[in-house]
Amino acid sequence: MSIKQLLIMGNPKLITPSIAVEDFNNPLLRSIIQDMHDTMIAKGGVGIAAPQIGYFVRLIMFGFQKSERYPDAQEIPFTTLVNPSFSPLSEETEDGWEGCLSVPGLRGLVPRYKSINYTAQDIHGHTVSGQADGFKARVIQHECDHLDGILYPRRIKDLRYFGFESEL
Ligand code: NI
């Protein structure tokens, strides 16, 4: 296992779009997933995307039982999604506070679709799909943004609601 150093906002690599995973037999895929898992757990994150630890492939992971960073959030089962995409089930959005392991110490109020359909592949390359709403839908949208080189501060509509978590 290894806990990786996280790239943080300002690093130009974080705004670079990632490429699709094509070779599901590559042992590197397993090792990236393990590193993402170990890093996410060590840092107390609820989700992580491969580019945050320096691998620019379309791979996200999320899940937690109880989060210290989001004490009100309901448990989400641990999930790894390869080449994920989503579409909103309706245009309805919801504002919610987000943080990011690549934006340490800060939180912002971000609108996200309330409910989505997502489709992806599992680590064996089999198609998986599902529906998500609320916080889980938010996490998936946040992590998918990372794969397109987008960090949540770009989604904040009103910068008055962006600040240090110690103050908010
Ligand atoms: Ni993030």
Side-chain angles (χ1 to χ4, degrees):
M1 85 172 245
S2 64
I3 297 161
K4 295 286 186 185
Q5 184 155 5
L6 285 147
L7 306 190
I8 56 170
M9 185 168 65
N11 187 320
K13 289 178 178 164
L14 274 181
I15 57 171
T16 310
S18 291
I19 59 165
V21 173
E22 282 169 4
D23 180 6
F24 287 83
N25 295 315
N26 189 334
L28 183 59
L29 185 61
R30 302 286 179 292
S31 113
I32 297 172
I33 290 168
Q34 188 64 47
D35 290 351
M36 285 168 68
H37 176 265
D38 297 343
T39 306
M40 179 175 89
I41 299 295
K43 305 292 179 186
V46 297
I48 193 166
Q52 291 183 274
I53 58 165
Y55 295 102
F56 301 92
V57 289
R58 304 188 78 84
L59 183 53
I60 67 170
M61 176 184 296
F62 50 86
F64 60 93
Q65 283 185 311
K66 191 91 190 100
S67 170
E68 273 178 37
R69 284 167 58 81
Y70 301 93
D72 299 330
Q74 274 191 351
E75 172 177 0
I76 298 177
F78 277 94
T79 311
T80 300
L81 298 179
V82 186
N83 301 327
S85 61
F86 68 87
S87 52
L89 283 167
S90 80
E91 288 302 306
E92 202 180 347
T93 62
E94 189 170 54
D95 289 333
W97 288 96
E98 288 184 21
C100 179
L101 297 178
S102 293
V103 190
L106 292 161
R107 291 288 171 112
L109 196 64
V110 181
R112 299 282 187 189
Y113 293 116
K114 259 182 117 158
S115 33
I116 58 169
N117 270 325
Y118 64 90
T119 173
Q121 286 159 290
D122 67 14
I123 60 166
H124 308 290
H126 302 303
T127 301
V128 291
S129 59
Q131 197 177 313
D133 47 35
F135 191 66
K136 184 178 176 185
R138 174 173 300 280
V139 171
I140 293 172
Q141 291 170 81
H142 175 115
E143 301 309 335
C144 284
D145 264 355
H146 276 295
L147 306 182
D148 294 327
I150 297 169
L151 298 177
Y152 80 81
R154 277 174 64 187
R155 301 281 189 200
I156 298 172
K157 287 281 181 293
D158 183 342
L159 285 168
R160 287 179 298 174
Y161 302 103
F162 182 41
F164 290 96
E165 50 195 1
S166 54
E167 306 298 316
L168 288 162

